[in-house]
Structures are given as C-alpha cells and as structure tokens.
Amino acid sequence: MPRIPPSVFRQALRTDPLLVPLLPVTRSLSGAQAELRWLRKEVPKPKLPWAIVQRSNYRPLQYILGDQPFLDLSIKCAEGTLIPRWETEEWIARIKPFISNVKIIDACTGTGCVALSFNGTGSNIVGIDIDTSCLSLAKFNQQSNRCDDIVHWAQCDILNWTDDLHHVCKGVNFLVSNPPYIPWEEYTKLDRSVKNFEPQLALVGDLEFYNALVHNLLEPNLNTCDGFVFEVGNVNQIHHVRDLVKKHGWNVGYLMDSAGYHRCVVGWKPDGRFDFKKLCDFVY
Ligand SMILES: C[S@@+](CC[C@H](N)C(=O)[O-])C[C@H]1O[C@@H](n2cnc3c(N)ncnc32)[C@H](O)[C@@H]1O
C-alpha cells in the first residue's frame, strides 16, 4: 500500500486537527473530511473523541454510528453481524420490481436487510441464519422499520439438511441469499477494518454454500420454487451454480455490479412465474 505523503498530513492538520487520525484509515483527505462530517453529524459532541479513536483503530464507521441506510430502510448494525453492502442493495433494487405475493426465503439473513427489503411486495418472507444474535438484530430491524408484511425468522444451519430446514423452506417460491463466499486465501488479504471487526462466520465460504442452497433449499422445493438470486464473489461460483441446476432444465444468467464485478447468479424455471431474462446482464 503506498504511503500517504507528509504534505497531505500537513494539509489535514491545517484544515482540522481531527482529520489527522482518520487519514491512515481513509487514505485520502476527501475521505477523512467526509467521515468527520458524518461523525460530527451523528455522534453526540462529548462522544466525538471516543468515536475518532475507534475509527482510527479501523473500527467500521457503521459499528460506531450504529446503523446503515439500505434502500428505504435504516438497518441497525452491531458487531457480530455483517454490515450490509452497497453491492447487495444494488441487486435488490433491480430484482424487487419482479417480486409480488410470493413466499420468499432469505438464507443467511444477517441483519435481515435482504429479507426486509422485500417488505411491501405482499410476500410471506422468512429470514434464516445460523447465528441467533443476527436473528435478534433482524427482528429489531423489522420492528424499527415497521415492516408490515409477514416476516418470520428461523435459526437453521443451511449446510445441514434437517427437518427444521425442510419445514421452514417448504412451499418457497423465490429463494435469495447472500451467503459467506470469500475463499480463505482471499479472506486473509482483506482490509483490517473488515478482518478485525466483521464476523468470519459471515464472510468465509465458497462452493459448499452454493451446494447447500441448491441441494438443501432449492431441490426439495422444485415443485413450488420458480426462481433464485444468489450473491457471489466470483465467476467460478456462478458457473458452479449453473452446472448444478442445468439438470433441472432451469434458465441461468448473471448480474454484474456497477463496479464491473460479477455479482449474482440468477435462476428461473421455464414457464414459471418469473421471467428474469430481462433482468440479467448475461443469460447462458
Ligand atoms: C454475507 S453475510 C450476509 C448477511 C446479509 N444477508 C447481508 O446481505 O448483509 C452471511 C450470513 O450467513 C450466516 N451463516 C453463516 N453460515 C451459515 C450457515 N451454515 N447456515 C445459515 N447461515 C449461515 C452468517 O451468520 C451471516 O449472517
């Protein structure tokens, strides 16, 4: 990582001394100015020095401020649960207009941001996570955002097929998931603000999660499920899912994100209720 030139530190010091401890984290003066503005706006004045020390130790801003805007929701964030990302927000905004009055399963729900984004579609939504602290936060977010659609939460390990998982997913029409998808070798290279503060359980994973989504959630419900969208971290994960569902004759495509990365694998049943062809950036 290139060093920050001393002239930038001097400029920060002249502009506002509180920018200096933020510079090594944000790596640019404009980034430090933006973060200081947010901290001044959101953190009560007596707590500002504490907040700046926390941030200078690479604690993510969302854990300091306590929440993160996500579409029209305000999502409470707490350590132990992944902070919702703009990439996820982006694909949900694209997919939401296609969804109405269905049973949705959001596997690996975390803060509940994905599940709760489908509020207002008249759907019956179930968010699943292995971690009960995530489910408590998701329930809080449901109440604080006054989400009125039917939303339930269930603790299940999607990697293991159990009667509970079977019962929860029965009758699903649309399956969504942002599973842990960062392979271990890549995880070790992540920024320290992610690695030191966000839960490894939410981040590290690979093809085993896509196998579980297809074998444990989709395949037992092929008679009711008409579509899925799974967030991915690389094109290999897209190809893997494509190959798994090919034998069922499903259509498969993918979405890119606005930073130019492969972001979601999308599947839909021919003659089912969803036609995601128009949604996809590429269809196989
Ligand atoms: C990448 S985070 C996604 C959180 C949220 N959906 C979002 O988009 O911000 C993955 C989530 O999967 C959960 N998880 C990890 N292993 C799991 C498993 N075996 N079964 C169910 N959930 C799991 C983690 O607790 C974490 O909340």
Side-chain angles (χ1 to χ4, degrees):
M1 199 186 293
R3 283 206 283 179
I4 304 166
S7 58
V8 179
F9 277 102
R10 282 196 296 272
Q11 200 184 344
L13 189 63
R14 276 197 305 271
T15 312
D16 186 331
L18 291 182
L19 292 169
V20 175
L22 297 176
L23 257 184
V25 184
T26 61
R27 320 241 3 119
S28 73
L29 188 56
S30 59
Q33 283 170 318
E35 292 209 359
L36 185 58
R37 233 179 358 257
W38 288 323
L39 288 167
R40 281 211 165 101
K41 188 161 162 248
E42 307 265 334
V43 176
K45 213 171 170 187
K47 275 187 84 183
L48 189 63
W50 167 86
I52 287 176
V53 171
Q54 295 298 311
R55 188 61 186 134
S56 69
N57 287 329
Y58 293 85
R59 188 174 298 279
L61 202 60
Q62 293 87 342
Y63 289 151
I64 300 170
L65 300 179
D67 55 24
Q68 160 81 7
F70 192 86
L71 297 176
D72 54 353
L73 305 168
S74 169
I75 296 292
K76 180 175 175 185
C77 300
E79 262 161 72
T81 308
L82 192 91
I83 297 163
R85 302 296 204 267
W86 66 264
E87 294 93 329
T88 309
E89 193 177 10
E90 195 175 75
W91 65 255
I92 294 175
R94 287 175 69 180
I95 198 96
K96 191 172 170 181
F98 288 77
I99 307 301
S100 83
N101 298 307
V102 286
K103 172 165 177 173
I104 304 174
I105 297 288
D106 170 28
C108 303
T109 199
T111 53
C113 57
V114 175
L116 297 173
S117 297
F118 290 99
N119 183 62
T121 63
S123 298
N124 175 350
I125 308 161
V126 186
I128 298 176
D129 206 284
I130 195 171
D131 183 346
T132 50
S133 64
C134 290
L135 296 172
S136 309
L137 194 61
K139 269 182 215 163
F140 177 91
N141 282 322
Q142 177 185 2
Q143 282 157 9
S144 62
N145 286 285
R146 297 198 173 83
C147 293
D148 307 322
D149 278 7
I150 305 166
V151 188
H152 297 289
W153 309 101
Q155 193 216 355
C156 293
D157 173 0
I158 66 159
L159 296 177
N160 288 304
W161 197 90
T162 57
D163 284 348
D164 267 4
L165 185 63
H166 176 65
H167 179 72
V168 166
C169 296
K170 207 167 178 250
V172 60
N173 308 123
F174 177 53
L175 193 54
V176 275
S177 184
N178 175 15
Y181 58 62
I182 303 178
W184 181 255
E185 318 76 72
E186 286 172 33
Y187 172 76
T188 55
K189 295 180 215 146
L190 288 180
D191 264 19
R192 64 185 119 167
S193 64
V194 177
K195 224 170 28 183
N196 293 357
F197 293 95
E198 296 199 77
Q200 195 178 305
L201 179 71
L203 294 161
V204 178
D206 199 354
L207 303 182
E208 70 279 14
F209 278 95
Y210 299 98
N211 288 332
L213 288 164
V214 172
H215 297 316
N216 297 343
L217 282 77
L218 178 66
E219 286 177 341
N221 295 294
L222 277 175
N223 55 339
T224 58
C225 193
D226 283 346
F228 64 79
V229 179
F230 304 147
E231 191 171 315
V232 298
N234 59 56
V235 75
N236 186 33
Q237 292 164 348
I238 295 180
H239 290 163
H240 186 74
V241 173
R242 179 198 62 191
D243 294 345
L244 289 177
V245 299
K246 210 162 49 185
K247 65 171 180 271
H248 301 298
W250 276 47
N251 300 306
V252 178
Y254 61 73
L255 305 182
M256 304 293 291
D257 68 24
S258 56
Y261 291 101
H262 290 86
R263 189 51 62 207
C264 290
V265 55
V266 180
W268 66 104
K269 198 192 259 174
D271 307 323
R273 74 190 80 199
F274 307 117
D275 180 6
F276 290 148
K277 193 172 174 188
K278 294 188 271 302
L279 171 78
C280 287
D281 294 311
F282 184 84
V283 176
Y284 288 100

